[in-house]
Amino acid sequence: MKPQSDPTCPFLPSLRQFWMASAALSGVCISLSLAVRAAETAREAANAAVPPVVISAGPEWIPLKTELEIEPGSALDFSGMGFVDAPAGKHGRVIARADGQFAFANSPNTPRRFYGVNLCFGAHYLPHAEADRLAERLVRLGYNALRIHHYERDLVQGQSPTTTLNAQKLEQFDYLMAALIQRGIYLTTDLYVSRSVPWREVGVDRDGQIPMDTFKILVPVHAGAFENWKQFARALLDHTNPYTKRRYADEPALAWLSMINEGNFGNFYRDLRTFPEWTRAWNQWLARRYPTRGALAEAWGNDLKETEKPSDNSVALPENMRDSSLRARDCVAFLSETERDMVQRMKSFLRDELGCRALVSNANSWTYFVTDQSARTVYDYVDDHFYVDHPQFLQSPWRLPSKCPNTSPIGEGAAGGRSKTFTRLFNKPFTITEYNYSGPGRFRGVGGILTGAMGALQGWSGIWRFAYSHSREAMFTPLRMGYFDLASDPLSQAAERASLCLFLRGDLQPAPHSVALMMTDADLASPASRIPNLHPRWHWMAWITRVGTQVVPSAGKAPAHTAILPLGWQTPASAYPAKSASSLNPYAAEDTQLLAALKKLDVGGAAEPARKFFRSETGEITIDGPRNVLVLDTPRTAGGYAPAGQNIEADKGGVRVQVEGSDATVWVNALDEHPIRQSRRLLVTHLTDLQNTGIRYAEEARQILQAWGRLPHLVRAGKATVSIRLEMPARHKVWALTPSGQRLAEVPAQFVDRTLVFTADVAADPASGARMIYEVAAP
């Protein structure tokens, strides 16, 4: 606790009076502190009086017989959906089109999408038989892409320097990569994630290892760190995989490279300010921007101290890069330009020295400013990450207890990931290589679907769920649910099938219109007095139409969009085509103004931001916050989420669901080429909640997790009456499926007015295990 000072002390008539007043003030502060502490103690006592919530098997929670493999040919085997075309790379490299889509070099007129998962740490290093088994499973689960993440720790295990690869681990890594490529799975990775680098390895005479995040911010300004980054990249990309006979630099299936994972400089600004290399780079930047100290003084006014001179590296970085000073404004611009310069140097190294043509991206998390879009113009594609219900650790990192909000995303207007739509540049492909609605949150089922739906509506190019597994063990032995891994969370894995159909198969159509936050090079070169966060408040519009940003050389080069909201720092709205340009300030516009503009431009859908109600202009997704109801309504995937006692009405798809007993996410997928109404084989999924046996929470709201519990997984009991309009419903039968897709039991169905009706019931037969998935098929 820092000592408190009395700002009125200069006006006290004597030192004695000052000390008397200070003592009185101290007494007040102590009394206040004691009162606050007493209130905290009372609250803690009240919480302690509430018994913890422990979930156990019984009428409300039904044990699930967990299975990891997918039965070939079953309704859960998505390998026949056409998502993969093996081997990966057969159509040439993945390229980035000017319309913001991926394509293959040999078929550039056909846009391509990718959906995958992350592997982390030991999950990359497997015996050959297990590598083949995993690759087959991932294809059956429906994935056509995989992110290699947190892989370097094991890959350089025991090596010095840490840019040398461990031969045994490399052999296992090579075999897994070849197995994935052979089956049509495309790959992405980061050239730095968490490799532990000694200080002396980068030329710093200091014991110990460089902290992970510190290494990230050293790379752009420290020659030794940048060279170390290059050496590891060379070791990996220049290596020839003996199973594919190709260098990784030449491997067309290694389609995307992020330079540094989650390395946005602003993420670690407090640490950044302590390094003289950053202070030196900052002063050099100022010297280039302002030819003389007098020019800097004229620009900053009293904010520049008399002792500060760029020529002797004495101009300090601001304490807070978000404050309203011109020093902070210039600091943000400096960080953006440093990012741009770093990525250009990295691309030059990859292209010119290594001959690697993989697509390049960077800066994919946490801290975003408008000027960062200038740096992203030199990327080949733009990437970002987001989480909902990510754990907050209450005592120590990655140790229980942890906390998450555990509230319905639908009731909150489905805000997860919405802001990321503005990280996107319309003329570059956009990906999310990490996202999750994390465990043990209750709403993991609906959360996964929302991301696939948003990606489809926005016309994104790739999505990767974080993660499939952090270990070898979890991929081959059932384990309790944790924060992130799908391999040990059957509910989250089941939710993936909706996203795969909505996004990868394209069941949910992209919005036909677009609203662009437009910036010119001149705007970004001469920013306003304060540089705002990139994402404006009106990201709710992402559920209505396509939104994003675009940087153009001049207003005359602006491409066609339904609406353009100019940044306007240097290029006014009047310079843009009059028909689409708006005079609204994108960072000050009110929702009512934006809604009026959409209406004037004939953008359909419906939006009531204050009530958190949104319907896309395609009519295929509705977020009804007041009712806490989601409706997905496409011809081939239809359903949604609703609390117990509510209905889901998807007229286009011909699906109606009455939710009973427990809140649930319920949807129907056509598994053949026909719409639901004409399909001969359908998949019906009914997700309530899934927890571990004995999992313990501090309170009824289940926000504070105290213990993870154990197997078996337990599924919350609940029912849903599912009605499906079919042209010939009497020919169809319904089966409950195991998690592997095997038919467990036939489920009674009724046929009324060309409608098949059956009850999905988690607890229909507890002895055979909880039921979440059903197949509806005609002979």
PDB file of all heavy atoms in Angstrom, residues 213-214 216-217 260-272 321-322 335 363-369 372 376 384-385 420:
ATOM      1  N   ASP A 213       6.731 -13.828 -23.283  1.00  0.00           N
ATOM      2  CA  ASP A 213       6.199 -12.584 -23.834  1.00  0.00           C
ATOM      3  C   ASP A 213       7.289 -11.538 -24.025  1.00  0.00           C
ATOM      4  O   ASP A 213       7.188 -10.675 -24.902  1.00  0.00           O
ATOM      5  CB  ASP A 213       5.075 -12.050 -22.944  1.00  0.00           C
ATOM      6  CG  ASP A 213       3.854 -12.962 -22.943  1.00  0.00           C
ATOM      7  OD1 ASP A 213       3.662 -13.684 -23.940  1.00  0.00           O
ATOM      8  OD2 ASP A 213       3.112 -12.963 -21.945  1.00  0.00           O
ATOM      9  N   THR A 214       8.340 -11.615 -23.221  1.00  0.00           N
ATOM     10  CA  THR A 214       9.464 -10.693 -23.391  1.00  0.00           C
ATOM     11  C   THR A 214      10.180 -10.965 -24.705  1.00  0.00           C
ATOM     12  O   THR A 214      10.573 -10.034 -25.421  1.00  0.00           O
ATOM     13  CB  THR A 214      10.440 -10.808 -22.204  1.00  0.00           C
ATOM     14  OG1 THR A 214       9.750 -10.475 -21.004  1.00  0.00           O
ATOM     15  CG2 THR A 214      11.633  -9.900 -22.390  1.00  0.00           C
ATOM     16  N   LYS A 216       8.892 -12.032 -27.385  1.00  0.00           N
ATOM     17  CA  LYS A 216       8.048 -11.512 -28.463  1.00  0.00           C
ATOM     18  C   LYS A 216       8.338 -10.042 -28.743  1.00  0.00           C
ATOM     19  O   LYS A 216       8.364  -9.619 -29.907  1.00  0.00           O
ATOM     20  CB  LYS A 216       6.570 -11.692 -28.102  1.00  0.00           C
ATOM     21  CG  LYS A 216       6.105 -13.132 -27.994  1.00  0.00           C
ATOM     22  CD  LYS A 216       4.649 -13.203 -27.533  1.00  0.00           C
ATOM     23  CE  LYS A 216       4.202 -14.641 -27.328  1.00  0.00           C
ATOM     24  NZ  LYS A 216       2.791 -14.739 -26.876  1.00  0.00           N
ATOM     25  N   ILE A 217       8.523  -9.257 -27.688  1.00  0.00           N
ATOM     26  CA  ILE A 217       8.724  -7.824 -27.896  1.00  0.00           C
ATOM     27  C   ILE A 217      10.185  -7.465 -28.130  1.00  0.00           C
ATOM     28  O   ILE A 217      10.488  -6.341 -28.554  1.00  0.00           O
ATOM     29  CB  ILE A 217       8.147  -6.990 -26.729  1.00  0.00           C
ATOM     30  CG1 ILE A 217       8.758  -7.393 -25.398  1.00  0.00           C
ATOM     31  CG2 ILE A 217       6.627  -7.095 -26.707  1.00  0.00           C
ATOM     32  CD1 ILE A 217       8.336  -6.502 -24.237  1.00  0.00           C
ATOM     33  N   ILE A 260       4.710 -14.377 -35.092  1.00  0.00           N
ATOM     34  CA  ILE A 260       4.827 -14.508 -33.636  1.00  0.00           C
ATOM     35  C   ILE A 260       3.419 -14.612 -33.066  1.00  0.00           C
ATOM     36  O   ILE A 260       2.577 -13.750 -33.315  1.00  0.00           O
ATOM     37  CB  ILE A 260       5.545 -13.294 -33.006  1.00  0.00           C
ATOM     38  CG1 ILE A 260       6.990 -13.203 -33.511  1.00  0.00           C
ATOM     39  CG2 ILE A 260       5.522 -13.364 -31.487  1.00  0.00           C
ATOM     40  CD1 ILE A 260       7.722 -11.962 -33.052  1.00  0.00           C
ATOM     41  N   ASN A 261       3.147 -15.642 -32.319  1.00  0.00           N
ATOM     42  CA  ASN A 261       1.810 -15.821 -31.766  1.00  0.00           C
ATOM     43  C   ASN A 261       1.478 -14.743 -30.737  1.00  0.00           C
ATOM     44  O   ASN A 261       2.260 -14.494 -29.809  1.00  0.00           O
ATOM     45  CB  ASN A 261       1.708 -17.202 -31.104  1.00  0.00           C
ATOM     46  CG  ASN A 261       0.373 -17.404 -30.419  1.00  0.00           C
ATOM     47  OD1 ASN A 261      -0.678 -17.348 -31.044  1.00  0.00           O
ATOM     48  ND2 ASN A 261       0.415 -17.613 -29.111  1.00  0.00           N
ATOM     49  N   GLU A 262       0.331 -14.094 -30.910  1.00  0.00           N
ATOM     50  CA  GLU A 262      -0.196 -13.131 -29.933  1.00  0.00           C
ATOM     51  C   GLU A 262       0.882 -12.153 -29.458  1.00  0.00           C
ATOM     52  O   GLU A 262       1.036 -11.902 -28.262  1.00  0.00           O
ATOM     53  CB  GLU A 262      -0.839 -13.879 -28.746  1.00  0.00           C
ATOM     54  CG  GLU A 262      -2.056 -14.691 -29.192  1.00  0.00           C
ATOM     55  CD  GLU A 262      -2.810 -15.335 -28.038  1.00  0.00           C
ATOM     56  OE1 GLU A 262      -2.255 -15.423 -26.932  1.00  0.00           O
ATOM     57  OE2 GLU A 262      -3.968 -15.747 -28.251  1.00  0.00           O
ATOM     58  N   GLY A 263       1.572 -11.583 -30.434  1.00  0.00           N
ATOM     59  CA  GLY A 263       2.692 -10.714 -30.105  1.00  0.00           C
ATOM     60  C   GLY A 263       2.412  -9.239 -30.262  1.00  0.00           C
ATOM     61  O   GLY A 263       3.372  -8.454 -30.331  1.00  0.00           O
ATOM     62  N   ASN A 264       1.149  -8.817 -30.331  1.00  0.00           N
ATOM     63  CA  ASN A 264       0.841  -7.387 -30.444  1.00  0.00           C
ATOM     64  C   ASN A 264       1.606  -6.623 -29.367  1.00  0.00           C
ATOM     65  O   ASN A 264       1.498  -6.922 -28.176  1.00  0.00           O
ATOM     66  CB  ASN A 264      -0.658  -7.144 -30.273  1.00  0.00           C
ATOM     67  CG  ASN A 264      -1.512  -7.951 -31.229  1.00  0.00           C
ATOM     68  OD1 ASN A 264      -1.205  -9.105 -31.519  1.00  0.00           O
ATOM     69  ND2 ASN A 264      -2.589  -7.363 -31.706  1.00  0.00           N
ATOM     70  N   PHE A 265       2.362  -5.630 -29.768  1.00  0.00           N
ATOM     71  CA  PHE A 265       3.279  -4.965 -28.839  1.00  0.00           C
ATOM     72  C   PHE A 265       2.546  -4.337 -27.650  1.00  0.00           C
ATOM     73  O   PHE A 265       3.051  -4.323 -26.526  1.00  0.00           O
ATOM     74  CB  PHE A 265       4.088  -3.890 -29.565  1.00  0.00           C
ATOM     75  CG  PHE A 265       4.875  -4.411 -30.739  1.00  0.00           C
ATOM     76  CD1 PHE A 265       4.983  -3.659 -31.903  1.00  0.00           C
ATOM     77  CD2 PHE A 265       5.501  -5.642 -30.695  1.00  0.00           C
ATOM     78  CE1 PHE A 265       5.695  -4.127 -32.994  1.00  0.00           C
ATOM     79  CE2 PHE A 265       6.214  -6.128 -31.771  1.00  0.00           C
ATOM     80  CZ  PHE A 265       6.313  -5.360 -32.930  1.00  0.00           C
ATOM     81  N   GLY A 266       1.377  -3.809 -27.897  1.00  0.00           N
ATOM     82  CA  GLY A 266       0.624  -3.187 -26.817  1.00  0.00           C
ATOM     83  C   GLY A 266       0.214  -4.160 -25.728  1.00  0.00           C
ATOM     84  O   GLY A 266      -0.106  -3.747 -24.607  1.00  0.00           O
ATOM     85  N   ASN A 267       0.225  -5.457 -26.035  1.00  0.00           N
ATOM     86  CA  ASN A 267      -0.117  -6.457 -25.024  1.00  0.00           C
ATOM     87  C   ASN A 267       0.849  -6.418 -23.842  1.00  0.00           C
ATOM     88  O   ASN A 267       0.493  -6.775 -22.722  1.00  0.00           O
ATOM     89  CB  ASN A 267      -0.066  -7.873 -25.622  1.00  0.00           C
ATOM     90  CG  ASN A 267      -1.084  -8.087 -26.715  1.00  0.00           C
ATOM     91  OD1 ASN A 267      -1.962  -7.266 -26.930  1.00  0.00           O
ATOM     92  ND2 ASN A 267      -0.960  -9.209 -27.426  1.00  0.00           N
ATOM     93  N   PHE A 268       2.093  -6.025 -24.112  1.00  0.00           N
ATOM     94  CA  PHE A 268       3.150  -6.121 -23.101  1.00  0.00           C
ATOM     95  C   PHE A 268       3.837  -4.765 -22.943  1.00  0.00           C
ATOM     96  O   PHE A 268       5.045  -4.685 -22.735  1.00  0.00           O
ATOM     97  CB  PHE A 268       4.161  -7.194 -23.524  1.00  0.00           C
ATOM     98  CG  PHE A 268       3.513  -8.416 -24.114  1.00  0.00           C
ATOM     99  CD1 PHE A 268       3.593  -8.688 -25.476  1.00  0.00           C
ATOM    100  CD2 PHE A 268       2.770  -9.271 -23.319  1.00  0.00           C
ATOM    101  CE1 PHE A 268       2.971  -9.790 -26.021  1.00  0.00           C
ATOM    102  CE2 PHE A 268       2.143 -10.386 -23.863  1.00  0.00           C
ATOM    103  CZ  PHE A 268       2.242 -10.655 -25.211  1.00  0.00           C
ATOM    104  N   TYR A 269       3.041  -3.712 -23.024  1.00  0.00           N
ATOM    105  CA  TYR A 269       3.619  -2.372 -23.074  1.00  0.00           C
ATOM    106  C   TYR A 269       4.406  -2.031 -21.810  1.00  0.00           C
ATOM    107  O   TYR A 269       5.461  -1.394 -21.870  1.00  0.00           O
ATOM    108  CB  TYR A 269       2.525  -1.335 -23.306  1.00  0.00           C
ATOM    109  CG  TYR A 269       3.056   0.072 -23.434  1.00  0.00           C
ATOM    110  CD1 TYR A 269       3.787   0.444 -24.552  1.00  0.00           C
ATOM    111  CD2 TYR A 269       2.850   1.002 -22.422  1.00  0.00           C
ATOM    112  CE1 TYR A 269       4.310   1.720 -24.673  1.00  0.00           C
ATOM    113  CE2 TYR A 269       3.366   2.285 -22.533  1.00  0.00           C
ATOM    114  CZ  TYR A 269       4.095   2.640 -23.661  1.00  0.00           C
ATOM    115  OH  TYR A 269       4.614   3.901 -23.773  1.00  0.00           O
ATOM    116  N   ARG A 270       3.912  -2.458 -20.671  1.00  0.00           N
ATOM    117  CA  ARG A 270       4.626  -2.154 -19.417  1.00  0.00           C
ATOM    118  C   ARG A 270       6.029  -2.737 -19.441  1.00  0.00           C
ATOM    119  O   ARG A 270       7.002  -2.081 -19.045  1.00  0.00           O
ATOM    120  CB  ARG A 270       3.844  -2.689 -18.223  1.00  0.00           C
ATOM    121  CG  ARG A 270       4.506  -2.384 -16.881  1.00  0.00           C
ATOM    122  CD  ARG A 270       3.686  -2.919 -15.729  1.00  0.00           C
ATOM    123  NE  ARG A 270       2.364  -2.294 -15.661  1.00  0.00           N
ATOM    124  CZ  ARG A 270       1.442  -2.601 -14.770  1.00  0.00           C
ATOM    125  NH1 ARG A 270       1.685  -3.538 -13.861  1.00  0.00           N
ATOM    126  NH2 ARG A 270       0.281  -1.989 -14.774  1.00  0.00           N
ATOM    127  N   ASP A 271       6.161  -3.976 -19.915  1.00  0.00           N
ATOM    128  CA  ASP A 271       7.473  -4.620 -20.027  1.00  0.00           C
ATOM    129  C   ASP A 271       8.302  -3.933 -21.121  1.00  0.00           C
ATOM    130  O   ASP A 271       9.505  -3.690 -20.957  1.00  0.00           O
ATOM    131  CB  ASP A 271       7.270  -6.103 -20.344  1.00  0.00           C
ATOM    132  CG  ASP A 271       8.540  -6.924 -20.212  1.00  0.00           C
ATOM    133  OD1 ASP A 271       9.478  -6.469 -19.536  1.00  0.00           O
ATOM    134  OD2 ASP A 271       8.583  -8.026 -20.785  1.00  0.00           O
ATOM    135  N   LEU A 272       7.657  -3.610 -22.212  1.00  0.00           N
ATOM    136  CA  LEU A 272       8.331  -2.998 -23.365  1.00  0.00           C
ATOM    137  C   LEU A 272       9.073  -1.729 -22.963  1.00  0.00           C
ATOM    138  O   LEU A 272      10.200  -1.474 -23.404  1.00  0.00           O
ATOM    139  CB  LEU A 272       7.279  -2.729 -24.442  1.00  0.00           C
ATOM    140  CG  LEU A 272       7.645  -2.067 -25.761  1.00  0.00           C
ATOM    141  CD1 LEU A 272       6.655  -2.512 -26.838  1.00  0.00           C
ATOM    142  CD2 LEU A 272       7.598  -0.537 -25.659  1.00  0.00           C
ATOM    143  N   MET A 321      -0.043   4.397 -22.933  1.00  0.00           N
ATOM    144  CA  MET A 321      -0.185   4.658 -24.371  1.00  0.00           C
ATOM    145  C   MET A 321      -1.633   4.954 -24.753  1.00  0.00           C
ATOM    146  O   MET A 321      -1.915   5.304 -25.904  1.00  0.00           O
ATOM    147  CB  MET A 321       0.328   3.464 -25.180  1.00  0.00           C
ATOM    148  CG  MET A 321      -0.467   2.195 -25.010  1.00  0.00           C
ATOM    149  SD  MET A 321       0.185   0.879 -26.064  1.00  0.00           S
ATOM    150  CE  MET A 321      -0.906  -0.473 -25.585  1.00  0.00           C
ATOM    151  N   ARG A 322      -2.552   4.856 -23.809  1.00  0.00           N
ATOM    152  CA  ARG A 322      -3.960   5.119 -24.101  1.00  0.00           C
ATOM    153  C   ARG A 322      -4.422   6.494 -23.611  1.00  0.00           C
ATOM    154  O   ARG A 322      -5.602   6.811 -23.720  1.00  0.00           O
ATOM    155  CB  ARG A 322      -4.848   4.043 -23.481  1.00  0.00           C
ATOM    156  CG  ARG A 322      -4.614   2.644 -24.050  1.00  0.00           C
ATOM    157  CD  ARG A 322      -5.570   1.631 -23.439  1.00  0.00           C
ATOM    158  NE  ARG A 322      -5.306   0.281 -23.912  1.00  0.00           N
ATOM    159  CZ  ARG A 322      -5.784  -0.233 -25.040  1.00  0.00           C
ATOM    160  NH1 ARG A 322      -6.552   0.507 -25.807  1.00  0.00           N
ATOM    161  NH2 ARG A 322      -5.501  -1.472 -25.396  1.00  0.00           N
ATOM    162  N   LEU A 335       4.370   2.198 -32.678  1.00  0.00           N
ATOM    163  CA  LEU A 335       4.227   0.749 -32.522  1.00  0.00           C
ATOM    164  C   LEU A 335       3.657   0.119 -33.793  1.00  0.00           C
ATOM    165  O   LEU A 335       4.086  -0.966 -34.216  1.00  0.00           O
ATOM    166  CB  LEU A 335       3.330   0.432 -31.323  1.00  0.00           C
ATOM    167  CG  LEU A 335       3.869   0.822 -29.943  1.00  0.00           C
ATOM    168  CD1 LEU A 335       2.855   0.473 -28.859  1.00  0.00           C
ATOM    169  CD2 LEU A 335       5.202   0.159 -29.662  1.00  0.00           C
ATOM    170  N   ALA A 363       0.191 -10.426 -35.450  1.00  0.00           N
ATOM    171  CA  ALA A 363      -0.573  -9.524 -34.569  1.00  0.00           C
ATOM    172  C   ALA A 363      -2.034  -9.942 -34.439  1.00  0.00           C
ATOM    173  O   ALA A 363      -2.936  -9.284 -34.945  1.00  0.00           O
ATOM    174  CB  ALA A 363      -0.474  -8.080 -35.083  1.00  0.00           C
ATOM    175  N   ASN A 364      -2.250 -11.030 -33.685  1.00  0.00           N
ATOM    176  CA  ASN A 364      -3.582 -11.635 -33.676  1.00  0.00           C
ATOM    177  C   ASN A 364      -4.242 -11.686 -32.299  1.00  0.00           C
ATOM    178  O   ASN A 364      -5.010 -12.613 -32.022  1.00  0.00           O
ATOM    179  CB  ASN A 364      -3.508 -13.053 -34.266  1.00  0.00           C
ATOM    180  CG  ASN A 364      -2.360 -13.868 -33.697  1.00  0.00           C
ATOM    181  OD1 ASN A 364      -1.829 -13.566 -32.635  1.00  0.00           O
ATOM    182  ND2 ASN A 364      -1.959 -14.901 -34.415  1.00  0.00           N
ATOM    183  N   SER A 365      -3.979 -10.668 -31.450  1.00  0.00           N
ATOM    184  CA  SER A 365      -4.688 -10.740 -30.170  1.00  0.00           C
ATOM    185  C   SER A 365      -4.609  -9.458 -29.356  1.00  0.00           C
ATOM    186  O   SER A 365      -3.641  -8.706 -29.451  1.00  0.00           O
ATOM    187  CB  SER A 365      -4.102 -11.860 -29.297  1.00  0.00           C
ATOM    188  OG  SER A 365      -2.849 -11.470 -28.786  1.00  0.00           O
ATOM    189  N   TRP A 366      -5.631  -9.219 -28.589  1.00  0.00           N
ATOM    190  CA  TRP A 366      -5.714  -8.365 -27.401  1.00  0.00           C
ATOM    191  C   TRP A 366      -5.744  -6.876 -27.658  1.00  0.00           C
ATOM    192  O   TRP A 366      -6.694  -6.214 -27.286  1.00  0.00           O
ATOM    193  CB  TRP A 366      -4.597  -8.657 -26.409  1.00  0.00           C
ATOM    194  CG  TRP A 366      -4.379 -10.054 -26.022  1.00  0.00           C
ATOM    195  CD1 TRP A 366      -5.080 -11.157 -26.422  1.00  0.00           C
ATOM    196  CD2 TRP A 366      -3.354 -10.531 -25.154  1.00  0.00           C
ATOM    197  NE1 TRP A 366      -4.553 -12.285 -25.863  1.00  0.00           N
ATOM    198  CE2 TRP A 366      -3.496 -11.929 -25.081  1.00  0.00           C
ATOM    199  CE3 TRP A 366      -2.332  -9.911 -24.459  1.00  0.00           C
ATOM    200  CZ2 TRP A 366      -2.644 -12.721 -24.313  1.00  0.00           C
ATOM    201  CZ3 TRP A 366      -1.484 -10.700 -23.696  1.00  0.00           C
ATOM    202  CH2 TRP A 366      -1.650 -12.099 -23.625  1.00  0.00           C
ATOM    203  N   THR A 367      -4.644  -6.312 -28.213  1.00  0.00           N
ATOM    204  CA  THR A 367      -4.519  -4.856 -28.280  1.00  0.00           C
ATOM    205  C   THR A 367      -4.614  -4.395 -29.732  1.00  0.00           C
ATOM    206  O   THR A 367      -3.836  -4.845 -30.575  1.00  0.00           O
ATOM    207  CB  THR A 367      -3.175  -4.390 -27.689  1.00  0.00           C
ATOM    208  OG1 THR A 367      -3.018  -4.953 -26.385  1.00  0.00           O
ATOM    209  CG2 THR A 367      -3.138  -2.877 -27.591  1.00  0.00           C
ATOM    210  N   TYR A 368      -5.561  -3.491 -30.008  1.00  0.00           N
ATOM    211  CA  TYR A 368      -5.822  -3.076 -31.385  1.00  0.00           C
ATOM    212  C   TYR A 368      -6.035  -1.565 -31.439  1.00  0.00           C
ATOM    213  O   TYR A 368      -6.830  -1.021 -30.675  1.00  0.00           O
ATOM    214  CB  TYR A 368      -7.090  -3.742 -31.924  1.00  0.00           C
ATOM    215  CG  TYR A 368      -7.175  -5.227 -31.734  1.00  0.00           C
ATOM    216  CD1 TYR A 368      -7.641  -5.768 -30.533  1.00  0.00           C
ATOM    217  CD2 TYR A 368      -6.805  -6.110 -32.736  1.00  0.00           C
ATOM    218  CE1 TYR A 368      -7.729  -7.141 -30.353  1.00  0.00           C
ATOM    219  CE2 TYR A 368      -6.884  -7.476 -32.573  1.00  0.00           C
ATOM    220  CZ  TYR A 368      -7.347  -7.986 -31.373  1.00  0.00           C
ATOM    221  OH  TYR A 368      -7.428  -9.343 -31.195  1.00  0.00           O
ATOM    222  N   PHE A 369      -5.336  -0.919 -32.358  1.00  0.00           N
ATOM    223  CA  PHE A 369      -5.551   0.495 -32.625  1.00  0.00           C
ATOM    224  C   PHE A 369      -5.818   0.686 -34.119  1.00  0.00           C
ATOM    225  O   PHE A 369      -5.436  -0.159 -34.937  1.00  0.00           O
ATOM    226  CB  PHE A 369      -4.341   1.322 -32.196  1.00  0.00           C
ATOM    227  CG  PHE A 369      -4.136   1.388 -30.710  1.00  0.00           C
ATOM    228  CD1 PHE A 369      -3.248   0.538 -30.068  1.00  0.00           C
ATOM    229  CD2 PHE A 369      -4.856   2.297 -29.939  1.00  0.00           C
ATOM    230  CE1 PHE A 369      -3.064   0.589 -28.697  1.00  0.00           C
ATOM    231  CE2 PHE A 369      -4.680   2.360 -28.561  1.00  0.00           C
ATOM    232  CZ  PHE A 369      -3.792   1.508 -27.939  1.00  0.00           C
ATOM    233  N   ASP A 372      -3.021   0.242 -36.615  1.00  0.00           N
ATOM    234  CA  ASP A 372      -2.519  -1.122 -36.836  1.00  0.00           C
ATOM    235  C   ASP A 372      -2.939  -1.656 -38.198  1.00  0.00           C
ATOM    236  O   ASP A 372      -2.304  -2.575 -38.727  1.00  0.00           O
ATOM    237  CB  ASP A 372      -3.016  -2.063 -35.743  1.00  0.00           C
ATOM    238  CG  ASP A 372      -2.459  -1.734 -34.369  1.00  0.00           C
ATOM    239  OD1 ASP A 372      -1.435  -1.024 -34.304  1.00  0.00           O
ATOM    240  OD2 ASP A 372      -3.057  -2.169 -33.367  1.00  0.00           O
ATOM    241  N   ARG A 376      -1.233  -4.207 -41.137  1.00  0.00           N
ATOM    242  CA  ARG A 376      -1.893  -5.399 -41.688  1.00  0.00           C
ATOM    243  C   ARG A 376      -1.966  -5.370 -43.210  1.00  0.00           C
ATOM    244  O   ARG A 376      -2.197  -6.413 -43.832  1.00  0.00           O
ATOM    245  CB  ARG A 376      -3.285  -5.564 -41.069  1.00  0.00           C
ATOM    246  CG  ARG A 376      -3.230  -5.952 -39.593  1.00  0.00           C
ATOM    247  CD  ARG A 376      -4.590  -6.322 -39.003  1.00  0.00           C
ATOM    248  NE  ARG A 376      -4.410  -6.843 -37.655  1.00  0.00           N
ATOM    249  CZ  ARG A 376      -4.510  -6.127 -36.538  1.00  0.00           C
ATOM    250  NH1 ARG A 376      -4.824  -4.835 -36.610  1.00  0.00           N
ATOM    251  NH2 ARG A 376      -4.306  -6.677 -35.359  1.00  0.00           N
ATOM    252  N   ASP A 384      -6.990 -13.383 -36.253  1.00  0.00           N
ATOM    253  CA  ASP A 384      -7.318 -12.894 -34.918  1.00  0.00           C
ATOM    254  C   ASP A 384      -7.723 -14.064 -34.045  1.00  0.00           C
ATOM    255  O   ASP A 384      -7.925 -15.192 -34.526  1.00  0.00           O
ATOM    256  CB  ASP A 384      -8.443 -11.854 -34.985  1.00  0.00           C
ATOM    257  CG  ASP A 384      -8.306 -10.791 -33.903  1.00  0.00           C
ATOM    258  OD1 ASP A 384      -7.631 -11.046 -32.899  1.00  0.00           O
ATOM    259  OD2 ASP A 384      -8.898  -9.707 -34.065  1.00  0.00           O
ATOM    260  N   HIS A 385      -7.854 -13.790 -32.737  1.00  0.00           N
ATOM    261  CA  HIS A 385      -8.258 -14.786 -31.740  1.00  0.00           C
ATOM    262  C   HIS A 385      -9.329 -14.184 -30.837  1.00  0.00           C
ATOM    263  O   HIS A 385      -9.362 -12.971 -30.638  1.00  0.00           O
ATOM    264  CB  HIS A 385      -7.076 -15.174 -30.839  1.00  0.00           C
ATOM    265  CG  HIS A 385      -5.907 -15.780 -31.556  1.00  0.00           C
ATOM    266  ND1 HIS A 385      -4.681 -15.942 -30.950  1.00  0.00           N
ATOM    267  CD2 HIS A 385      -5.780 -16.279 -32.804  1.00  0.00           C
ATOM    268  CE1 HIS A 385      -3.843 -16.513 -31.793  1.00  0.00           C
ATOM    269  NE2 HIS A 385      -4.488 -16.724 -32.934  1.00  0.00           N
ATOM    270  N   LYS A 420     -14.205  -8.633 -33.732  1.00  0.00           N
ATOM    271  CA  LYS A 420     -13.117  -9.085 -34.592  1.00  0.00           C
ATOM    272  C   LYS A 420     -13.416  -8.861 -36.065  1.00  0.00           C
ATOM    273  O   LYS A 420     -12.506  -8.900 -36.902  1.00  0.00           O
ATOM    274  CB  LYS A 420     -12.817 -10.568 -34.344  1.00  0.00           C
ATOM    275  CG  LYS A 420     -12.543 -10.914 -32.898  1.00  0.00           C
ATOM    276  CD  LYS A 420     -11.454 -10.063 -32.288  1.00  0.00           C
ATOM    277  CE  LYS A 420     -11.199 -10.409 -30.839  1.00  0.00           C
ATOM    278  NZ  LYS A 420     -10.205  -9.513 -30.225  1.00  0.00           N
TER     279      LYS A 420
END
